[in-house]
């Protein structure tokens, strides 16, 4: 590692017209996170680092996303899209603060790794003024070509300016560059726009570095890491590359997946030991799965935490704010949202639990619905530990069902139910004290150790 300070500038002012979308390009998602978030997460962080993002005019949503991911980020607006060098100069004020290293990355290159960005800084430490990230392109069309002479990088030629022989070069510019902070501004300010597009090309920095008698180095990486995203087809390709990486990382971490190619993960999915994920599962952002848990086929999970040895699905939907305790079971055609299910809770079939807390070992029968919305507001349902809710019950929130309470099948429960009470009701709720007494006796009997 290095003790040099570092400023990373992420260029994200492009319109992204080829995405054919009203959403700014860098706000499209790969593996449940925006393209911008991926790049920002890879940027050097910690002591001595700073971060800037250059956004297009009117793209306040892009600046907001940057702040969400990295609250310490500085944002700058490039008033007109006059080229990558012009975009960097929109962040002139940040460069003028004088970091030792200035790393430039593109907001539409989400597969770039923190490792590679760190590697870009090594030549600077060794005395180079500029490091350029290169890769061997299967099809180099459209990329800037790296002109290397006797092992030294002498220029980058943009596709539009390249001669026929230069176009045959497959070593291409990935777009990431790292400048020595002492000379960065001086070099970038010298870049002109005398080219066929009339744009200020950041890539012209290489020629200027060479003419000034300074050195420019190339760091190479694989093509998959530097795929730029300009179209929906490229977005889908990047998703595929990212999913392959995430699946491999999960398998390496010991997750069992018999058909990993059918499982979709997010960059932040965390796994304990001995987790099993069956085929055709979609896991969105913010999911943690603890030791021994099983996610059965066709389940969809977002911002949910799955406790040890818990079981989900098949065909379960866990929405944000769902938490399953140890050994809890959520079965088929169950939807949960903002619901805490403590250890040993069973919600096995055809149920909706929303805005709810369910105490340990409660059993929720098939077809139970927490009626959390009256058309205006959302209300909470609390179900006590060890409660039993019979099939096809409607629990009309706000509602508290006591510990150990018993709700008969088909009840419409509109009033709080005391601990250990028994409730039956079709359309109208009755608390049956006599039945409750009998139920308590039955439970007590069931608890007695079996003999014989
Ligand atoms: C650029 C490189 C090219 C490289 C390729 C890799 C230049 C001149 N060319 O070409 O050598 O092979 O990336 O993908 O740098 N941007 C702004 N403001 C601008 C222009 C661009 O913020 O005025 C941003 C875009 O949002 C994007 C990035 O800079 O994130 C690159 O711009 P783009 O137009 O995609 O450059 P390419 O033609 O792909
Ligand atoms: Mg591009």
């Amino acid at each position: 590692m290095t003790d040099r300070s570092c400023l990373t500038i992420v260029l994200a002012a492009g319109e992204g017209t080829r995405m054919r979308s009203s959403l700014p390009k860098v706000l499209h998602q790969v593996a449940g996170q925006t393209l911008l978030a991926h790049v920002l997460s890879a940027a050097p962080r910690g002591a001595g680092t700073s971060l800037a993002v250059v956004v297009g005019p009117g793209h306040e949503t892009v600046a907001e996303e940057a702040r969400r991911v990295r609250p310490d980020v500085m944002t700058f607006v490039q008033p007109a899209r006059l080229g990558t060098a012009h975009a960097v100069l929109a962040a002139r004020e940040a460069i003028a603060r004088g970091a030792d290293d200035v790393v430039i990355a593109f907001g539409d290159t989400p597969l770039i790794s923190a490792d590679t960005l760190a590697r870009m800084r090594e030549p600077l430490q060794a005395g180079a003024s500029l490091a350029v990230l290169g890769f061997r392109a299967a099809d180099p069309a459209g990329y800037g070509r790296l002109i290397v002479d006797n092992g030294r990088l002498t220029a980058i030629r943009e596709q539009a300016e390249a001669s026929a022989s230069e176009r045959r070069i497959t070593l291409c510019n990935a777009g990431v560059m790292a400048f020595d902070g002492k000379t960065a501004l001086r070099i970038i300010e010298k870049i002109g726009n005398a080219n066929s597009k009339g744009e200020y090309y950041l890539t012209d920095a290489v020629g200027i570095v060479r003419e000034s008698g300074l050195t420019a180095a190339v760091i190479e990486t694989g093509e998959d890491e530097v795929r730029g995203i300009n179209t929906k087809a490229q977005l889908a390709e990047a998703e595929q590359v990212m999913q392959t990486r995430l699946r491999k990382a999960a398998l390496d971490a010991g997750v069992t997946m018999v058909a990993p190619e059918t499982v979709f993960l997010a960059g932040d999915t965390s796994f304990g030991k001995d987790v099993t994920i069956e085929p055709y599962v979609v896991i969105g952002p913010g999911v943690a799965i603890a030791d021994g848990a099983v996610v059965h086929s066709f389940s969809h999970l977002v911002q949910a935490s799955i406790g040890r040895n818990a079981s989900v699905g098949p065909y379960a939907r866990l929405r944000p704010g769902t938490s399953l305790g140890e050994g809890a079971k959520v079965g088929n055609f169950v939807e949960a949202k903002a619901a805490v299910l403590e250890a040993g809770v069973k919600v096995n079939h055809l149920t909706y639990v929303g805005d709810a807390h369910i105490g340990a070992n409660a059993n929720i029968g098939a077809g139970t619905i927490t009626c959390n919305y009256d058309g205006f507001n959302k209300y909470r349902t609390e179900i006590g530990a060890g409660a039993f809710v019979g099939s096809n019950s409607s629990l009309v929130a706000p509602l508290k069902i006591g510990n150990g309470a018993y709700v008969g099948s088909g009840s419409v429960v509109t009033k709080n139910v005391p601990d250990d009470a028994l409730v039956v009701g079709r359309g109208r709720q009755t608390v049956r004290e006599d039945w409750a007494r009998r139920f308590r006796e039955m439970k007590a009997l069931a608890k007695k150790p079996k003999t014989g």
Side-chain angles (χ1 to χ4, degrees):
M1 270 322 301
T2 166
D3 52 10
R4 289 165 65 94
S5 62
C6 180
L7 163 70
T8 306
I9 303 175
V10 177
L11 305 187
E15 284 291 345
T17 37
R18 281 174 288 167
M19 295 295 272
R20 300 193 187 285
S21 164
S22 51
L23 192 68
K25 174 161 81 175
V26 296
L27 297 187
H28 285 77
Q29 296 195 349
V30 164
Q33 273 198 315
T34 61
L35 306 185
L36 184 62
H38 283 283
V39 180
L40 294 178
S41 308
R45 58 172 73 217
T49 67
S50 53
L51 188 58
V53 173
V54 178
V55 306
H59 279 184
E60 183 49 31
T61 47
V62 177
E64 272 166 28
E65 168 67 356
R67 285 190 289 267
R68 184 189 68 79
V69 180
R70 294 283 294 261
D72 57 328
V73 76
M74 298 172 265
T75 58
F76 297 92
V77 176
Q78 183 190 19
R81 204 176 181 286
L82 301 180
T84 42
H86 183 261
V88 172
L89 288 178
R92 184 196 309 264
E93 190 192 310
I95 305 172
R97 292 185 189 183
D100 295 323
D101 300 339
V102 177
V103 174
I104 317 283
F106 290 170
D108 65 353
T109 314
L111 304 171
I112 192 84
S113 72
D115 210 47
T116 297
L117 290 184
R119 212 147 56 85
M120 294 293 294
R121 300 171 60 196
E122 285 167 12
L124 306 181
Q125 197 165 17
S129 296
L130 175 61
V132 171
L133 187 62
F135 68 102
R136 305 273 166 187
D139 173 13
Y143 288 111
R145 310 300 207 283
L146 301 191
I147 316 287
V148 178
D149 187 17
N150 276 329
R152 284 147 60 121
L153 178 64
T154 56
I156 302 181
R157 200 80 72 228
E158 287 307 297
Q159 166 91 9
E161 326 298 326
S163 67
S165 67
E166 286 169 342
R167 285 185 184 188
R168 281 195 292 274
I169 297 172
T170 56
L171 182 60
C172 291
N173 174 29
V176 181
M177 293 196 184
F179 287 85
D180 179 19
K182 286 193 294 296
T183 46
L185 260 185
R186 199 158 8 112
I187 291 165
I188 299 167
E189 277 171 343
K190 274 195 193 146
I191 293 173
N193 66 346
N195 52 53
S196 63
K197 287 192 181 169
E199 280 191 14
Y200 296 86
Y201 292 156
L202 184 61
T203 45
D204 285 352
V206 175
I208 295 169
V209 163
R210 294 287 298 141
E211 283 156 20
S212 319
L214 303 168
T215 49
V218 180
I219 294 283
E220 269 195 57
T221 190
E223 180 161 17
D224 271 347
E225 206 190 331
V226 294
R227 283 167 189 276
I229 292 178
N230 302 305
T231 63
K232 291 284 169 73
Q234 287 168 333
L235 184 69
E237 282 166 21
E239 181 74 45
Q240 215 170 8
V241 172
M242 186 62 96
Q243 289 301 335
T244 304
R245 265 193 213 171
L246 294 172
R247 289 164 189 153
K248 183 176 181 308
L251 291 166
D252 288 349
V255 175
T256 300
M257 292 188 280
V258 291
E261 70 283 6
T262 67
V263 173
F264 287 78
L265 302 168
D268 61 353
T269 311
S270 84
F271 302 102
K273 280 204 191 95
D274 296 313
V275 167
T276 299
I277 303 182
E278 289 186 353
Y280 301 101
V281 167
V282 177
I283 295 181
V287 172
I289 306 176
D291 298 358
V294 180
V295 182
H296 296 280
S297 293
F298 308 106
S299 295
H300 191 281
L301 287 61
V302 177
Q303 286 170 37
S305 121
I306 317 300
R308 289 162 66 93
N309 301 323
S311 162
V312 175
Y315 299 98
R317 179 171 183 210
L318 303 188
R319 292 169 54 200
T322 299
S323 156
L324 307 189
E326 182 162 355
K329 278 189 76 177
V330 166
N332 38 243
F333 306 108
V334 170
E335 174 180 349
K337 182 215 74 170
V340 176
L341 280 59
E342 300 286 1
V345 167
K346 289 196 182 68
V347 186
N348 277 339
H349 337 264
L350 301 152
T351 287
Y352 172 67
V353 250
D355 303 308
H357 179 271
I358 306 182
N361 300 314
N363 190 318
I364 310 298
T368 298
I369 306 290
T370 54
C371 310
N372 60 333
Y373 184 51
D374 62 2
F376 304 97
N377 294 304
K378 298 273 169 72
Y379 302 97
R380 291 188 55 77
T381 300
E382 306 261 349
I383 300 175
F388 182 98
V389 176
S391 298
N392 202 27
S393 293
S394 301
L395 310 180
V396 183
L399 186 68
K400 263 192 182 157
I401 293 180
N403 295 327
Y406 191 102
V407 174
S409 296
S411 299
V412 178
V413 186
T414 55
K415 291 181 216 138
N416 290 348
V417 179
D419 287 355
D420 295 314
L422 187 141
V423 162
V424 288
R426 289 171 188 78
R428 209 151 56 90
Q429 174 185 343
T430 326
V431 176
R432 295 288 303 256
E433 276 307 332
D434 49 340
W435 290 13
R437 205 173 317 117
R438 243 176 56 206
F439 173 58
R440 280 198 292 271
E441 284 163 13
M442 274 163 52
K443 273 214 306 198
L445 272 178
K447 266 194 206 136
K448 286 220 174 100
K450 286 200 178 84
T451 50

